[in-house]
Amino acid sequence: MSAAREYGLDESYEWARPPVGGWTADDLDRLPNLPPHTELIDGSLVFMSPQTYFHMVTLRVLENALWSQVPEEWRVVREMTTKLAKRDRPEPDLMLVREEGFTGPSQTWYAPEHLLLAVEIVSEESTERDRETKPRKYAAAGIPHFWRVEENHGLPVVYVYELDPATHAYGAAGIFHDRLKLSVPFPVDIDLTAVDRRR
């Protein structure tokens, strides 16, 4: 059975075929008909699975809390890409981007040197990427802070990491249940149980 038939697509459907050497970060802006939230990891296109309720509501809680607490020189950006290298353009769920990192309304990606924080909310299909691949690449690109968010009995658990400038790798800075309270990269206090509230 062909891949097109297996997924209920027209037999004439053409799958994107990578060039020799794989796709590049700039290809994401040129390839037609890509699904929303397509990422590029190691030169391969990565398509997102359907979003879960937990992912959606956790993203909303974190985004709203960060918007209300972030210093003025930073902006909260959701579900946009950062161009880490020639063949790496992942899409964190949230980023904090320095004001000078903005180039205009048609911007589709941000440079890692303008990022303070990348946040990934783990889903079943993204576990390995969010736990291993992306943190390693974010650290190598010099992004100072990384939060990984996982679900535990319907509530978010936030794993906080800070970049060690000597090793260029993330060191664990804490695991937070119910409440995320930090003094770096700026004072932040987030009620994680808010994902269970209707308002």
Side-chain angles (χ1 to χ4, degrees):
M1 173 183 287
S2 72
R5 185 176 298 159
E6 180 181 350
Y7 290 100
L9 300 172
D10 187 305
E11 285 289 330
S12 63
Y13 182 82
E14 286 289 326
W15 294 93
R17 292 188 176 102
V20 174
W23 303 109
T24 67
D26 291 332
D27 288 332
L28 281 188
D29 291 324
R30 295 190 289 256
L31 283 165
N33 304 318
L34 286 178
H37 310 297
T38 300
E39 300 180 287
L40 188 73
I41 306 289
D42 295 324
S44 297
L45 298 175
V46 177
F47 307 116
M48 299 295 115
S49 62
Q51 182 173 237
T52 64
Y53 176 81
F54 171 80
H55 188 283
M56 179 275 298
V57 73
T58 300
L59 181 57
R60 179 189 297 155
V61 166
L62 293 175
E63 180 185 20
N64 290 344
L66 286 171
W67 265 118
S68 67
Q69 298 176 48
V70 69
E72 286 187 11
E73 65 269 23
W74 298 95
R75 290 191 194 181
V76 181
V77 174
R78 67 179 283 164
E79 300 171 315
M80 289 188 70
T81 58
T82 175
K83 193 186 291 187
L84 300 181
K86 182 179 180 182
R87 290 184 170 81
D88 287 305
R89 192 167 151 190
E91 182 182 299
D93 289 301
L94 288 172
M95 296 182 283
L96 293 184
V97 181
R98 192 182 301 277
E99 192 68 36
E100 56 262 33
F102 289 84
T103 61
S106 60
Q107 184 171 4
T108 60
W109 58 271
Y110 300 95
E113 60 266 25
H114 293 130
L115 271 58
L116 178 65
L117 169 69
V119 180
E120 294 288 357
I121 302 170
V122 178
S123 61
E124 185 176 349
E125 61 85 23
S126 72
T127 302
E128 185 176 325
R129 289 192 306 276
D130 292 342
R131 287 181 176 176
E132 299 175 23
T133 307
K134 287 184 174 183
R136 180 172 37 83
K137 291 180 180 291
Y138 293 153
I143 299 171
H145 299 273
F146 173 68
W147 297 353
R148 188 183 80 245
V149 185
E150 303 211 13
E151 184 262 336
N152 184 36
H153 300 293
L155 292 175
V157 178
V158 182
Y159 298 80
V160 173
Y161 299 88
E162 189 170 344
L163 188 64
D164 181 338
T167 63
H168 304 287
Y170 287 127
I175 302 172
F176 296 83
H177 301 256
D178 297 333
R179 184 179 185 192
L180 174 61
K181 188 169 184 179
L182 301 169
S183 59
V184 291
F186 55 87
V188 61
D189 191 348
I190 302 174
D191 178 6
L192 299 173
T193 67
V195 301
D196 249 358
R197 295 192 201 118
R198 296 183 66 185
R199 291 178 181 246

